[in-house]
Amino acid sequence: MSPEITARAPSDSCLLGHCRRVAAVAQCIAYQMFVAAPVKVSVESAALLHHSPVETLPHLIDGAALVPALLRAFHHAANAPKHLRRLAEIIHIANRFDELYELRATEPRSPAEIVAELRRLAEENSWSMGPVKAIEKVARGTDIEVFAKSPLPVFPQAALRVLQVRDRPESAAGQTGRITAAVFRPLFSLPSMRSLLQHGMEAAELAHHLAARAPAIDREEAFLCGLLHDIGKLLIGRLNLFDSATMRGLLDHGCPPVYAENFLMGCDHGKAGGDIAASWRLPARYVEAIRCHHQPEGIDSPLAHLLYLVEWRLGHLEDMPSAHRVGMCLRSTGVTEHSLETWHNGRTPLAMTA
Ligand SMILES: [Fe+2]
Ligand SMILES: [Fe+2]
């Protein structure tokens, strides 16, 4: 995409985020529909600018002459030639997909319901079904079977002893935590997983700290679930080369990881992590908390809600921020904004695992 195009993208960060995600999804749809490479770039550019006034675009932009015409077809389909209308429909479907995703916190929909909604929109407007089928095909084509086929990570037996002593009253994260982190460390042995271990340690510390302010949550359980909350990323890392490249492309184009996972697989790493925890026969409340840590509205579990707050406070930007979800989780756990804001991790997480 030319610098001339990106310079015309919205400056408001929320709107820019939306436009970038729509552009990424539109590009994936165009790819699935075998749109020619240069046209695909124009579709992506027009999607990025679909909230920018068409009048501000010059009639001809070097190498992107199609973009203004595509945007006019997007806004005023009735006057546009059929081939431009068809391309503009890709942007409409990508746009609606993003809008439905943004509504998930207050109006949850399953992947099948999202597709049904997109299909309805296309039918109402007499659009081609090509873009909707392309979205279905992306999810269907993604190698999610890898989750079921390949062996799940093996539960470290040494962790059993840690789980048995976790009931010790008020043990500090620095004591039980150090042992817990050490026994789970082999799971993160690949160099690419080092940052996941570091994030898990930081999450464990924060979960342990916040649980002291949450009457319904055991501190050691919070620590363990904090450490393992993103364990599902071990499975996401096993996607085949093509799916990994698509995932990387979505991330590079501004889609948060949970958004990209849902677009590609119809679920997120929380679901994958819940599957691992279930295979380890961890207590159901751990499994559900890990499974739903990015969809707290889907479960009545203070532990899951605590994990959501932990992700949010650590600012890892794994998903789009949601004030609705933060408010709900604060109320459910009893944690205050003050205790979230004043938390400071004085220790280096990796030092704890050494
Ligand atoms: Fe996560
Ligand atoms: Fe996380």
Side-chain angles (χ1 to χ4, degrees):
M1 203 181 302
S2 74
E4 205 178 359
I5 294 285
T6 48
R8 286 177 164 80
S11 52
D12 173 82
S13 63
C14 277
L15 191 55
L16 177 62
H18 162 71
C19 291
R20 292 183 70 194
R21 294 190 301 272
V22 172
V25 171
Q27 196 194 32
C28 272
I29 295 174
Y31 180 85
Q32 288 293 335
M33 293 175 69
F34 302 105
V35 172
V39 179
K40 206 165 53 188
V41 174
S42 295
V43 170
E44 186 192 2
S45 300
L48 182 71
L49 302 182
H50 76 281
H51 276 275
S52 306
V54 189
E55 301 74 40
T56 63
L57 290 170
H59 284 290
L60 283 178
I61 302 173
D62 280 349
L66 187 58
V67 177
L70 250 175
L71 281 168
R72 280 191 287 275
F74 176 79
H75 292 294
H76 310 288
N79 307 324
K82 187 177 174 186
H83 73 286
L84 290 180
R85 287 205 311 269
R86 289 283 178 256
L87 292 173
E89 287 163 11
I90 293 175
I91 304 171
H92 278 295
I93 290 296
N95 183 48
R96 188 61 184 148
F97 176 86
D98 191 73
E99 288 172 351
L100 292 175
Y101 188 88
E102 281 195 280
L103 288 171
R104 271 163 49 104
T106 50
E107 296 176 35
R109 284 177 179 82
S110 68
E113 286 169 330
I114 288 179
V115 168
E117 184 96 11
L118 296 176
R119 198 172 277 279
R120 206 161 32 245
L121 179 73
E123 281 166 359
E124 280 168 9
N125 290 281
S126 304
W127 294 342
S128 147
M129 281 296 156
V132 182
K133 287 180 182 164
I135 283 190
E136 280 184 290
K137 204 169 145 195
V138 169
R140 213 181 306 126
T142 303
D143 191 14
I144 50 174
E145 292 301 314
V146 73
F147 295 173
K149 278 184 206 151
S150 61
L152 293 172
V154 176
F155 183 74
Q157 289 304 306
L160 274 178
R161 285 194 294 280
V162 178
L163 294 177
Q164 282 158 3
V165 300
R166 68 172 172 72
D167 288 334
R168 269 195 335 224
E170 286 302 306
S171 60
Q175 296 165 5
T176 309
R178 191 189 299 271
I179 305 166
T180 310
V183 295
F184 282 104
R185 191 175 192 183
L187 289 173
F188 305 93
S189 56
L190 286 175
S192 59
M193 291 298 155
R194 196 170 167 78
S195 63
L196 190 57
L197 176 62
Q198 185 164 354
H199 171 59
M201 281 309 305
E202 204 165 22
E205 286 266 7
L206 176 54
H208 186 266
H209 169 83
L210 293 179
R213 282 98 184 141
I217 302 174
D218 177 273
R219 294 190 78 185
E220 299 302 335
E221 287 189 5
F223 184 92
L224 184 69
C225 289
L227 179 71
L228 299 178
H229 75 287
D230 277 342
I231 193 90
K233 289 189 179 178
L234 293 177
L235 293 189
I236 304 287
R238 291 182 186 175
L239 287 174
N240 67 39
L241 210 57
F242 178 79
D243 294 331
S244 295
T246 310
M247 176 74 78
R248 187 73 259 158
L250 288 167
L251 301 181
D252 289 347
H253 284 75
C255 298
V258 172
Y259 183 99
E261 289 160 9
N262 274 293
F263 178 65
L264 274 181
M265 300 176 288
C267 67
D268 61 38
H269 62 266
K271 154 88 170 59
D275 289 353
I276 295 176
S279 79
W280 288 350
R281 300 184 191 280
L282 292 183
R285 61 186 180 281
Y286 297 10
V287 173
E288 292 309 316
I290 292 170
R291 193 187 302 281
C292 297
H293 78 272
H294 284 291
Q295 273 191 291
E297 67 282 353
I299 190 168
D300 182 18
S301 157
L303 193 51
H305 296 176
L306 188 86
L307 293 181
Y308 180 84
L309 292 175
V310 165
E311 291 278 44
W312 178 74
R313 174 61 180 83
L314 293 180
H316 260 243
L317 302 179
E318 290 179 24
D319 200 5
M320 284 135 65
S322 162
H324 171 80
R325 283 173 170 165
V326 172
M328 183 195 75
C329 292
L330 286 172
R331 287 190 297 279
S332 146
T333 55
V335 169
T336 62
E337 275 186 71
H338 178 75
S339 45
L340 270 177
E341 281 166 12
T342 53
W343 177 76
H344 171 67
N345 187 10
R347 277 175 292 185
T348 306
L350 275 187
M352 291 186 61
T353 65

